[in-house]
Amino acid sequence: MQKKTLCVALCLAICLTLSSHAAASSSTFRVAVDGVALETEVPGEIYNQVTYVHYWPILEAFDPNATATWKDGMISVQAGQLALTIHINAKYLEANGRYFYLPNGVLMRDGLCLLPATTLARVLGGTAWWDKGANILKINVGEGTLLPGSSYYNADSVRWLSHIIYAESGNQPLEGKIAVSNVILNRVSSPAFPNTIYDVIFQRNQFTPVSNGSINATPNSESVLAAKLCLDGANTAGNALFFINPNTSPNSWAARNRSYVTTIGAHAFFA
């Protein structure tokens, strides 16, 4: 995967945030879909500066024939060409075989399922933003086409990302797995490192699993999930280029020479 593709994926994943907005104290929002204002306001909430809305009125405006089925903690939605699965107790959505990270998870309010507006718009193939002058949330979806995972994900990228994620952080939480993958993708985007996922991982003297052979271990399902989430823009480690386990490497080169970013689970990350 080339640098331009990775940058686009990361940019697409930026959530709609509001530092201050009149709607921040509201429990319902005015919403327009493709320029047409919905007749009734949509239940919603500003949570951690992210605009959440009830998914159903937007999907119904997109496709009046949309259907939704609740079963075993999941909502399965079919709307036009979109097959969407909402995992109520997970931090991601699955749409047409692609995976989108929800840092705050799904919000349930009064029996209603709320999703980040920009993520919902994105799985519909569109965008969402606040028109502050009109005090209305605008969602444009157009044709509502989302490239399926079978076409979007590069098989080798998923393979090697999931292998390094599992080898380095297989016992870490999902956020930690994503962060390890972020380091790989950040290196691909950096002129200081090789420009492919494979070459970054197998660069000499960089990752212990390559030298000890554990890179070849079969990754677990969450490591594969983390790889796909990252390829669709998930980021928990910012611009980090290095990670260490401070318990086993308390005086590492990265800790002494690079800027600290964050600690997730057993790993500290540095830019």
Side-chain angles (χ1 to χ4, degrees):
M1 179 174 287
Q2 299 301 311
K3 298 180 181 180
K4 182 177 179 181
T5 303
L6 293 170
C7 290
V8 170
L10 291 172
C11 290
L12 285 172
I14 299 174
C15 287
L16 177 67
T17 60
L18 300 175
S19 58
S20 60
H21 192 275
S25 61
S26 300
S27 58
T28 60
F29 303 134
R30 295 174 60 224
V31 177
V33 178
D34 284 340
V36 179
L38 303 189
E39 293 183 1
T40 59
E41 293 191 345
V42 176
E45 180 179 328
I46 306 298
Y47 184 80
N48 285 348
Q49 296 188 312
V50 176
T51 301
Y52 274 75
V53 292
H54 180 30
Y55 78 96
W56 183 248
I58 284 84
L59 286 176
E60 194 173 35
F62 166 69
D63 177 12
N65 296 315
T67 60
T69 304
W70 290 60
K71 184 178 181 180
D72 298 330
M74 296 188 299
I75 306 174
S76 299
V77 178
Q78 187 69 47
Q81 298 179 21
L82 174 68
L84 172 66
T85 301
I86 304 169
H87 302 264
I88 300 300
N89 295 315
K91 289 188 173 183
Y92 65 92
L93 300 176
E94 181 181 354
N96 288 1
R98 289 171 61 181
Y99 295 84
F100 300 88
Y101 185 51
L102 305 178
N104 299 308
V106 174
L107 299 187
M108 295 299 298
R109 297 292 186 264
D110 298 323
L112 301 178
C113 175
L114 309 186
L115 301 177
T118 48
T119 305
L120 180 57
R122 188 181 169 201
V123 301
L124 289 170
T127 56
W129 71 98
W130 275 106
D131 183 331
K132 294 184 178 181
N135 193 30
I136 189 170
L137 176 65
K138 293 186 174 180
I139 298 177
N140 279 4
V141 295
E143 296 298 320
T145 55
L146 179 70
L147 194 66
S150 58
S151 301
Y152 181 80
Y153 297 126
N154 177 278
D156 281 343
S157 296
V158 173
R159 176 189 178 189
W160 290 115
L161 271 182
S162 61
H163 273 255
I164 193 66
I165 290 168
Y166 181 64
E168 291 281 12
S169 58
N171 62 348
Q172 297 301 298
L174 178 61
E175 291 81 1
K177 290 181 174 69
I178 291 171
V180 165
S181 183
N182 292 153
V183 168
I184 304 302
L185 297 184
N186 288 343
R187 288 191 178 195
V188 171
S189 298
S190 169
F193 295 92
N195 64 358
T196 71
I197 290 171
Y198 180 89
D199 288 339
V200 162
I201 293 172
F202 285 89
Q203 186 178 17
R204 188 176 180 181
N205 298 327
Q206 293 299 305
F207 297 102
T208 301
V210 173
S211 58
N212 67 20
S214 62
I215 188 69
N216 297 309
T218 301
N220 59 14
S221 60
E222 190 170 76
S223 295
V224 177
L225 169 64
K228 292 181 177 180
L229 287 170
C230 288
L231 291 171
D232 252 310
N235 189 313
T236 60
N239 62 343
L241 293 169
F242 304 87
F243 62 89
I244 63 165
N245 184 329
N247 291 324
T248 58
S249 303
N251 194 36
S252 71
W253 177 89
R256 289 183 285 106
N257 294 279
R258 309 297 296 198
S259 300
Y260 172 77
V261 175
T262 189
T263 295
I264 304 175
H267 290 131
F269 294 84
F270 300 85

